[in-house]
Amino acid sequence: MLLILSAGSELSARSLDGLEVTIQNERRIEISLTLSEALPEIPSSFTIDNPARIAIDLPETNVRLKEKTVPLKTSHTESIVVIEALDRTRVVINMLELVPYRLSTDSNRIILTHSDRCS
């Protein structure tokens, strides 16, 4: 079974290699995802109200993180979970309540910034 999952993961040349969280204060957080190579465009994202979640889909990307669950206890967030499927990787930010967020890219980095007032 592990061999089958590994073989499927190797089909994608792009990988999620790093996840960094910068807490600027309790109400403003930046989550940076580092890929082995840049995506052609800003990835799709969506929110869920109940339970509160922000999800980012990384097409044709496998995961090379040591930890796939990161606790992130702030006034708005609980944790980050990374899930690898056959054709994409999904990064889910588990929230206590939804707040505005902004998604941007910088070369091979995807940056999600969320705060009470996201500009």
Short mmCIF file of all heavy atoms in Angstrom, two decimals, residues 29-64:
data_model
loop_
_atom_site.label_atom_id
_atom_site.label_comp_id
_atom_site.label_asym_id
_atom_site.label_seq_id
_atom_site.Cartn_x
_atom_site.Cartn_y
_atom_site.Cartn_z
N ILE A 29 -2.12 37.10 11.06
CA ILE A 29 -1.25 35.95 10.87
C ILE A 29 -0.93 35.78 9.39
O ILE A 29 -1.79 36.01 8.53
CB ILE A 29 -1.94 34.68 11.40
CG1 ILE A 29 -2.16 34.82 12.90
CG2 ILE A 29 -1.13 33.43 11.09
CD1 ILE A 29 -3.03 33.77 13.48
N GLU A 30 0.30 35.37 9.10
CA GLU A 30 0.71 35.08 7.73
C GLU A 30 1.17 33.62 7.68
O GLU A 30 1.98 33.19 8.49
CB GLU A 30 1.85 36.00 7.32
CG GLU A 30 2.31 35.78 5.89
CD GLU A 30 3.39 36.76 5.50
OE1 GLU A 30 3.06 37.93 5.22
OE2 GLU A 30 4.56 36.33 5.50
N ILE A 31 0.61 32.89 6.72
CA ILE A 31 0.98 31.49 6.50
C ILE A 31 1.64 31.42 5.12
O ILE A 31 1.04 31.80 4.12
CB ILE A 31 -0.25 30.57 6.56
CG1 ILE A 31 -0.91 30.68 7.94
CG2 ILE A 31 0.13 29.13 6.22
CD1 ILE A 31 -2.29 30.07 8.01
N SER A 32 2.88 30.96 5.10
CA SER A 32 3.64 30.90 3.87
C SER A 32 3.88 29.43 3.50
O SER A 32 4.39 28.66 4.31
CB SER A 32 4.98 31.62 4.04
OG SER A 32 5.76 31.51 2.88
N LEU A 33 3.48 29.07 2.28
CA LEU A 33 3.69 27.73 1.75
C LEU A 33 4.79 27.79 0.70
O LEU A 33 4.68 28.57 -0.25
CB LEU A 33 2.40 27.20 1.12
CG LEU A 33 1.15 27.26 1.98
CD1 LEU A 33 -0.08 26.89 1.16
CD2 LEU A 33 1.28 26.35 3.19
N THR A 34 5.84 27.02 0.86
CA THR A 34 6.94 27.02 -0.10
C THR A 34 6.87 25.77 -0.95
O THR A 34 6.84 24.64 -0.43
CB THR A 34 8.30 27.07 0.62
OG1 THR A 34 8.33 28.22 1.47
CG2 THR A 34 9.44 27.16 -0.37
N LEU A 35 6.82 25.98 -2.27
CA LEU A 35 6.75 24.88 -3.23
C LEU A 35 8.10 24.68 -3.88
O LEU A 35 8.94 25.59 -3.92
CB LEU A 35 5.71 25.19 -4.30
CG LEU A 35 4.29 25.49 -3.81
CD1 LEU A 35 3.40 25.87 -4.98
CD2 LEU A 35 3.72 24.31 -3.07
N SER A 36 8.33 23.50 -4.44
CA SER A 36 9.57 23.23 -5.15
C SER A 36 9.67 24.04 -6.44
O SER A 36 10.77 24.33 -6.92
CB SER A 36 9.68 21.74 -5.48
OG SER A 36 8.59 21.33 -6.28
N GLU A 37 8.52 24.42 -6.99
CA GLU A 37 8.47 25.29 -8.17
C GLU A 37 7.16 26.07 -8.14
O GLU A 37 6.20 25.67 -7.50
CB GLU A 37 8.57 24.48 -9.46
CG GLU A 37 7.45 23.48 -9.65
CD GLU A 37 7.64 22.61 -10.88
OE1 GLU A 37 8.61 21.84 -10.92
OE2 GLU A 37 6.79 22.71 -11.79
N ALA A 38 7.15 27.20 -8.81
CA ALA A 38 5.99 28.08 -8.77
C ALA A 38 4.78 27.46 -9.48
O ALA A 38 4.92 26.70 -10.43
CB ALA A 38 6.33 29.41 -9.42
N LEU A 39 3.60 27.82 -8.98
CA LEU A 39 2.36 27.48 -9.67
C LEU A 39 2.16 28.47 -10.82
O LEU A 39 2.60 29.61 -10.73
CB LEU A 39 1.17 27.58 -8.72
CG LEU A 39 1.02 26.51 -7.66
CD1 LEU A 39 -0.08 26.89 -6.68
CD2 LEU A 39 0.70 25.16 -8.28
N PRO A 40 1.46 28.08 -11.87
CA PRO A 40 1.23 29.00 -12.99
C PRO A 40 0.30 30.17 -12.63
O PRO A 40 0.30 31.19 -13.30
CB PRO A 40 0.62 28.13 -14.08
CG PRO A 40 0.17 26.88 -13.41
CD PRO A 40 0.95 26.74 -12.15
N GLU A 41 -0.49 30.02 -11.56
CA GLU A 41 -1.41 31.08 -11.14
C GLU A 41 -1.70 30.93 -9.66
O GLU A 41 -1.34 29.91 -9.04
CB GLU A 41 -2.70 31.02 -11.94
CG GLU A 41 -3.40 29.68 -11.85
CD GLU A 41 -4.56 29.56 -12.83
OE1 GLU A 41 -4.47 30.10 -13.94
OE2 GLU A 41 -5.54 28.92 -12.46
N ILE A 42 -2.35 31.92 -9.08
CA ILE A 42 -2.74 31.84 -7.68
C ILE A 42 -3.69 30.65 -7.52
O ILE A 42 -4.63 30.50 -8.30
CB ILE A 42 -3.41 33.15 -7.21
CG1 ILE A 42 -2.39 34.29 -7.23
CG2 ILE A 42 -4.00 33.00 -5.81
CD1 ILE A 42 -2.95 35.63 -6.85
N PRO A 43 -3.44 29.80 -6.54
CA PRO A 43 -4.30 28.61 -6.39
C PRO A 43 -5.71 28.98 -5.95
O PRO A 43 -5.95 30.06 -5.40
CB PRO A 43 -3.59 27.80 -5.30
CG PRO A 43 -2.81 28.80 -4.53
CD PRO A 43 -2.42 29.87 -5.51
N SER A 44 -6.63 28.07 -6.20
CA SER A 44 -8.02 28.31 -5.77
C SER A 44 -8.12 28.10 -4.27
O SER A 44 -7.38 27.33 -3.67
CB SER A 44 -8.98 27.38 -6.52
OG SER A 44 -8.70 26.04 -6.21
N SER A 45 -9.06 28.84 -3.69
CA SER A 45 -9.32 28.70 -2.26
C SER A 45 -10.80 28.89 -2.03
O SER A 45 -11.51 29.45 -2.87
CB SER A 45 -8.52 29.72 -1.45
OG SER A 45 -8.96 31.03 -1.73
N PHE A 46 -11.27 28.40 -0.89
CA PHE A 46 -12.67 28.58 -0.54
C PHE A 46 -12.79 28.52 0.98
O PHE A 46 -11.86 28.10 1.68
CB PHE A 46 -13.57 27.54 -1.21
CG PHE A 46 -13.26 26.11 -0.83
CD1 PHE A 46 -13.93 25.50 0.22
CD2 PHE A 46 -12.32 25.38 -1.54
CE1 PHE A 46 -13.66 24.19 0.58
CE2 PHE A 46 -12.04 24.06 -1.19
CZ PHE A 46 -12.72 23.46 -0.14
N THR A 47 -13.93 28.96 1.47
CA THR A 47 -14.19 28.93 2.91
C THR A 47 -15.42 28.09 3.20
O THR A 47 -16.27 27.90 2.33
CB THR A 47 -14.41 30.34 3.49
OG1 THR A 47 -15.53 30.94 2.83
CG2 THR A 47 -13.19 31.21 3.31
N ILE A 48 -15.48 27.61 4.42
CA ILE A 48 -16.65 26.91 4.95
C ILE A 48 -17.01 27.63 6.24
O ILE A 48 -16.12 27.97 7.04
CB ILE A 48 -16.32 25.43 5.23
CG1 ILE A 48 -15.88 24.72 3.94
CG2 ILE A 48 -17.51 24.72 5.87
CD1 ILE A 48 -15.31 23.34 4.17
N ASP A 49 -18.31 27.87 6.45
CA ASP A 49 -18.74 28.61 7.63
C ASP A 49 -18.81 27.77 8.90
O ASP A 49 -18.44 28.22 9.97
CB ASP A 49 -20.12 29.24 7.40
CG ASP A 49 -20.07 30.36 6.38
OD1 ASP A 49 -19.02 31.01 6.27
OD2 ASP A 49 -21.08 30.59 5.70
N ASN A 50 -19.34 26.55 8.78
CA ASN A 50 -19.58 25.77 9.98
C ASN A 50 -19.17 24.32 9.77
O ASN A 50 -19.90 23.59 9.10
CB ASN A 50 -21.06 25.85 10.38
CG ASN A 50 -21.32 25.31 11.75
OD1 ASN A 50 -20.41 25.02 12.50
ND2 ASN A 50 -22.60 25.17 12.07
N PRO A 51 -18.03 23.87 10.25
CA PRO A 51 -17.08 24.63 11.05
C PRO A 51 -16.27 25.58 10.17
O PRO A 51 -16.10 25.33 8.97
CB PRO A 51 -16.19 23.56 11.67
CG PRO A 51 -16.27 22.41 10.71
CD PRO A 51 -17.64 22.48 10.10
N ALA A 52 -15.76 26.63 10.77
CA ALA A 52 -15.03 27.67 10.03
C ALA A 52 -13.71 27.11 9.50
O ALA A 52 -12.90 26.58 10.27
CB ALA A 52 -14.79 28.87 10.92
N ARG A 53 -13.51 27.21 8.18
CA ARG A 53 -12.31 26.69 7.53
C ARG A 53 -11.95 27.57 6.34
O ARG A 53 -12.83 28.11 5.67
CB ARG A 53 -12.53 25.29 6.97
CG ARG A 53 -13.07 24.26 7.94
CD ARG A 53 -11.95 23.67 8.76
NE ARG A 53 -12.43 22.60 9.61
CZ ARG A 53 -12.72 22.73 10.90
NH1 ARG A 53 -12.63 23.90 11.48
NH2 ARG A 53 -13.11 21.69 11.60
N ILE A 54 -10.66 27.67 6.07
CA ILE A 54 -10.15 28.19 4.80
C ILE A 54 -9.39 27.04 4.16
O ILE A 54 -8.55 26.42 4.81
CB ILE A 54 -9.20 29.40 5.00
CG1 ILE A 54 -9.91 30.55 5.69
CG2 ILE A 54 -8.62 29.84 3.65
CD1 ILE A 54 -8.98 31.69 6.09
N ALA A 55 -9.69 26.75 2.90
CA ALA A 55 -9.02 25.66 2.19
C ALA A 55 -8.33 26.21 0.95
O ALA A 55 -8.90 27.03 0.23
CB ALA A 55 -10.02 24.58 1.81
N ILE A 56 -7.11 25.75 0.71
CA ILE A 56 -6.33 26.12 -0.47
C ILE A 56 -5.99 24.84 -1.21
O ILE A 56 -5.45 23.90 -0.61
CB ILE A 56 -5.03 26.84 -0.07
CG1 ILE A 56 -5.31 28.05 0.81
CG2 ILE A 56 -4.23 27.24 -1.31
CD1 ILE A 56 -4.08 28.60 1.50
N ASP A 57 -6.29 24.79 -2.50
CA ASP A 57 -5.98 23.63 -3.32
C ASP A 57 -4.74 23.90 -4.16
O ASP A 57 -4.67 24.90 -4.89
CB ASP A 57 -7.15 23.28 -4.24
CG ASP A 57 -8.26 22.55 -3.49
OD1 ASP A 57 -7.97 21.98 -2.41
OD2 ASP A 57 -9.39 22.56 -3.97
N LEU A 58 -3.77 23.00 -4.09
CA LEU A 58 -2.54 23.08 -4.86
C LEU A 58 -2.56 21.94 -5.88
O LEU A 58 -2.31 20.78 -5.54
CB LEU A 58 -1.32 22.94 -3.94
CG LEU A 58 -1.29 23.88 -2.75
CD1 LEU A 58 -0.13 23.53 -1.82
CD2 LEU A 58 -1.20 25.33 -3.22
N PRO A 59 -2.89 22.26 -7.14
CA PRO A 59 -3.01 21.20 -8.15
C PRO A 59 -1.67 20.55 -8.47
O PRO A 59 -0.63 21.21 -8.43
CB PRO A 59 -3.58 21.94 -9.37
CG PRO A 59 -3.19 23.36 -9.17
CD PRO A 59 -3.13 23.59 -7.69
N GLU A 60 -1.73 19.25 -8.74
CA GLU A 60 -0.55 18.49 -9.15
C GLU A 60 0.65 18.75 -8.24
O GLU A 60 1.76 19.00 -8.71
CB GLU A 60 -0.22 18.79 -10.62
CG GLU A 60 -1.35 18.39 -11.54
CD GLU A 60 -1.09 18.78 -12.99
OE1 GLU A 60 0.01 19.27 -13.30
OE2 GLU A 60 -2.00 18.56 -13.79
N THR A 61 0.40 18.67 -6.95
CA THR A 61 1.44 18.94 -5.95
C THR A 61 1.39 17.85 -4.89
O THR A 61 0.33 17.50 -4.40
CB THR A 61 1.19 20.31 -5.27
OG1 THR A 61 1.15 21.33 -6.29
CG2 THR A 61 2.27 20.64 -4.27
N ASN A 62 2.56 17.29 -4.57
CA ASN A 62 2.61 16.32 -3.48
C ASN A 62 3.21 16.99 -2.25
O ASN A 62 3.60 18.15 -2.29
CB ASN A 62 3.36 15.04 -3.89
CG ASN A 62 4.78 15.31 -4.30
OD1 ASN A 62 5.45 16.18 -3.78
ND2 ASN A 62 5.27 14.53 -5.25
N VAL A 63 3.26 16.26 -1.13
CA VAL A 63 3.66 16.84 0.15
C VAL A 63 5.00 16.25 0.60
O VAL A 63 5.16 15.03 0.62
CB VAL A 63 2.59 16.56 1.23
CG1 VAL A 63 3.01 17.15 2.57
CG2 VAL A 63 1.25 17.09 0.81
N ARG A 64 5.90 17.13 0.97
CA ARG A 64 7.18 16.71 1.53
C ARG A 64 7.42 17.41 2.88
O ARG A 64 8.52 17.84 3.17
CB ARG A 64 8.31 17.05 0.58
CG ARG A 64 8.31 16.19 -0.65
CD ARG A 64 9.58 16.34 -1.42
NE ARG A 64 9.49 15.59 -2.65
CZ ARG A 64 10.24 15.80 -3.70
NH1 ARG A 64 11.16 16.74 -3.67
NH2 ARG A 64 10.10 15.07 -4.77
#
